[in-house]
Amino acid sequence: MEVLNSIPIELELEAVIKRMRLRKRNDNILDNIREMLDIAVPIARPKAVYEVSYVENKNEDSLQISGVAFTSRVLRVNLDKVERVFPYVITCGRELEEIDIPSTDFIKGYYLDQIKETALALARQQVESYLKKRYALGQLSRMAPGAGAEIDWPITQQMELFSIFGGREKVEELIGVRLTDTFLMVPIKSISGIFFPTEVSFESCQLCPREQCIGRRAPYDPEVVKKYRPEEA
Ligand code: SF4
């Protein structure tokens, strides 16, 4: 297990604008983002913990990772030919979460939120690059418990995922991410899941028919869905 305590990111105006997919820039918006960046940049400390794990005991729709059992048909199919994976928790960090903006100041709260999301996305990219370099990997994909509209990997398995790192208390001690009793993470701008090597890039969004999702990372693809149905695999 390795902890990355201060992931270097370039948290700057252009990165936030890109993340927000802003079509029209105006001075008012840019000034608000700049004002929030002035507060956020000096204190931002995104963090991550990951483990090098091995996949064992593959069954029809379950498997073990680091000896911990997971149930997900999609994960099982994705890891069919994979032996080594990288469970992770990545966070924008408590430092950003603890910036105190009055709850009545919706505009500043909104832009700060966008900055935290940008910090998390940049940190995730950095962790991915770091893993590729360190372990001589090609393309990486990722999956998370509870992701996707037709959820086949229950969010309750966050508990199992965190157990790979020694449990909820240990993850909180290492990188400040608290897993709640409803399996959400605090800071909310945190992600957890499993990176795995793939020849063909995979996104849970390919299996998710939900319309008008601002987080969509790939188009819904019924042909890809077929690959995960037991009768068509
Ligand atoms: S389309 Fe949206 S809801 Fe569906 S898996 Fe992607 S991000 Fe999640």
Side-chain angles (χ1 to χ4, degrees):
M1 180 164 69
E2 182 176 7
V3 175
L4 305 172
N5 246 326
S6 188
I7 300 167
I9 56 166
E10 293 189 16
L11 188 54
E12 51 193 31
L13 184 66
E14 285 307 318
V16 181
I17 290 171
K18 191 173 163 200
R19 180 81 198 158
M20 290 173 69
R21 297 179 187 157
L22 261 189
R23 289 210 188 108
K24 285 188 187 164
R25 301 175 177 219
N26 72 47
D27 289 346
N28 195 22
I29 293 176
L30 297 185
D31 286 348
N32 272 310
I33 300 174
R34 280 196 196 97
E35 187 184 339
M36 289 295 97
L37 277 171
D38 285 347
I39 300 170
V41 170
I43 60 168
R45 296 286 178 279
K47 300 171 184 61
V49 59
Y50 77 89
E51 179 63 286
V52 182
S53 296
Y54 292 88
V55 185
E56 299 167 315
N57 294 329
K58 296 173 183 172
N59 292 308
E60 200 170 317
D61 58 2
S62 66
L63 40 68
Q64 289 187 337
I65 293 172
S66 275
V68 177
F70 292 97
T71 306
S72 159
R73 169 86 191 154
V74 178
L75 183 68
R76 166 69 185 89
V77 172
N78 278 341
L79 300 189
D80 199 35
K81 296 187 174 68
V82 176
E83 300 296 329
R84 188 176 60 166
V85 296
F86 303 85
Y88 64 85
V89 181
I90 306 172
T91 180
C92 74
R94 276 195 180 173
E95 297 79 1
L96 292 185
E97 188 73 5
E98 286 168 2
I99 295 174
D100 195 15
I101 300 289
S103 58
T104 48
D105 202 337
F106 302 116
I107 302 284
K108 285 191 180 141
Y110 171 74
Y111 289 117
L112 179 60
D113 217 48
Q114 296 300 317
I115 289 169
K116 287 191 243 176
E117 255 187 38
T118 306
L120 175 60
L122 293 172
R124 199 257 307 150
Q125 288 163 13
Q126 286 289 90
V127 172
E128 220 173 305
S129 304
Y130 175 79
L131 292 176
K132 283 180 186 171
K133 202 167 164 193
R134 174 152 189 195
Y135 298 98
L137 303 166
Q139 185 165 237
L140 280 179
S141 289
R142 61 195 160 106
M143 279 191 66
E150 290 179 39
I151 293 165
D152 97 312
W153 191 6
I155 196 165
T156 51
Q157 294 217 311
Q158 283 275 57
M159 204 65 98
E160 280 82 351
L161 185 62
F162 274 55
S163 77
I164 291 175
F165 306 107
R168 289 201 283 187
E169 290 76 16
K170 190 68 187 169
V171 173
E172 187 166 3
E173 182 191 318
L174 293 172
I175 58 166
V177 173
R178 181 169 60 85
L179 185 64
T180 69
D181 292 340
T182 50
F183 313 107
L184 297 176
M185 290 175 283
V186 180
I188 203 154
K189 303 301 179 192
S190 303
I191 51 172
S192 61
I194 292 174
F195 282 121
F196 55 94
T198 38
E199 284 175 18
V200 179
S201 159
F202 170 83
E203 289 284 358
S204 299
C205 304
Q206 292 172 290
L207 313 181
C208 173
R210 185 170 157 187
E211 291 177 7
Q212 297 178 348
C213 171
I214 55 163
R216 182 172 284 286
R217 297 182 299 272
Y220 173 60
D221 188 338
E223 287 305 308
V224 176
V225 174
K226 283 184 192 167
K227 194 176 131 193
Y228 294 94
R229 293 205 178 112
E231 69 275 15
E232 295 177 54

